[in-house]
Amino acid sequence: MLTSVADLIPIPALWQQIAIVAVWVLLILLIAWVIKRFATDDPEVVRKIVHIGTGNVIMLAWWLDVPASVGITASIVASAITLLSYRFPILPGINSVGRQSLGTFFYAVSIGILIAWFWHLQQPQYAAIGIMVMAWGDGLAALIGQNFGKHKYKVFGSQKSWEGSLTMTLVSYLVSSLILLSVEGNIWQTWVVSLAIALVATGLEAISLWGVDNLTVPLGSAAIAFTLIQLLSLN
């Protein structure tokens, strides 16, 4: 079983790694701009395209074996830019979602924390689980909930939908299963741990306010995955 595509192909030089990641991020921003310009003015749709697309950077960092120092530095820079964007129009359309939220900032911070944590342990799959659950699970849950969510409920004054929460659970389970399957193989613990991750992620997303779920969901998902795998002695 593989923990890096380095087992299959040579690792590019550091400057090539940075270039690949940078091109990916710029491509996602370009796609978001094109959709905003020609398809929809809905800022939430644009934000979620960026949210989902940029989240896949963690997979590139894992597969390319990008050094932790590069990932952490990129996270710090992105965090600073997102903070500035709340005051200046640096990222128009990404932060303007009609509610008070530091979600984009927390998202960048969570990537840096998870890279610092799991790159050090040489277990990057857990960082990937945390970010991919946040990117795809929360991203699709928001889009489904806002467009098709008919059955509402409130947690701490924040309104959610059962349709959105169910999407969060299913997508989180799928993402976690695929990552663990690639590392641990087709054993029963893979499916049980993935279910636990999905339930924890859904719960954290439901109770988090002001965009803090972009921090609690990835950190919580990664932590529960790592803890359960250690307890079940999968490695």
Side-chain angles (χ1 to χ4, degrees), residues 87 120 152 216:
R87 185 172 182 85
H120 172 72
K152 308 292 185 180
T216 59

Side-chain angles (χ1 to χ4, degrees), residues 112-128:
I113 292 174
L114 289 177
I115 288 177
W117 183 0
F118 291 110
W119 256 244
H120 172 72
L121 298 177
Q122 297 185 339
Q123 300 285 343
Q125 64 267 29
Y126 300 115

Side-chain angles (χ1 to χ4, degrees), residues 31-49 91-98 143 146-147:
I31 292 172
W33 178 84
V34 170
I35 290 176
K36 182 178 185 296
R37 179 70 174 82
F38 298 103
T40 178
D41 289 329
D42 186 346
E44 186 69 3
V45 172
V46 174
R47 195 176 80 95
K48 289 307 177 184
I49 290 172
L91 299 173
I94 295 178
N95 293 321
S96 55
V97 294
L143 293 176
Q146 290 173 16
N147 291 282

Side-chain angles (χ1 to χ4, degrees), residues 208-228:
S208 299
L209 303 175
W210 305 301
V212 76
D213 57 323
N214 282 5
L215 186 65
T216 59
V217 169
L219 296 187
S221 298
I224 194 68
F226 177 72
T227 300
L228 288 179

Side-chain angles (χ1 to χ4, degrees), residues 118-190:
F118 291 110
W119 256 244
H120 172 72
L121 298 177
Q122 297 185 339
Q123 300 285 343
Q125 64 267 29
Y126 300 115
I129 286 173
I131 298 303
M132 294 298 282
V133 163
M134 186 67 228
W136 286 96
D138 178 76
L140 292 178
L143 293 176
I144 294 296
Q146 290 173 16
N147 291 282
F148 304 103
K150 304 298 183 183
H151 303 87
K152 308 292 185 180
Y153 67 95
K154 284 190 176 183
V155 179
F156 301 138
S158 177
Q159 182 170 276
K160 306 288 183 177
S161 74
W162 287 110
E163 291 85 354
S165 293
L166 179 60
T167 300
M168 179 73 180
T169 302
L170 294 176
V171 175
S172 298
Y173 181 75
L174 177 62
V175 166
S176 302
S177 297
L178 290 174
I179 293 175
L180 288 178
L181 187 63
S182 71
V183 177
E184 306 297 342
N186 185 17
I187 54 179
W188 68 266
Q189 291 96 332
T190 290

Side-chain angles (χ1 to χ4, degrees), residues 2 63 67 79 99 158 180 190:
L2 302 176
W63 294 341
S79 300
R99 62 179 183 270
S158 177
L180 288 178
T190 290

Side-chain angles (χ1 to χ4, degrees), residues 15-31:
W15 70 267
Q16 292 175 313
Q17 296 173 349
I18 295 173
I20 291 170
V21 172
V23 167
W24 176 263
V25 172
L26 291 174
L27 177 62
I28 295 301
L29 293 176
L30 176 61
I31 292 172

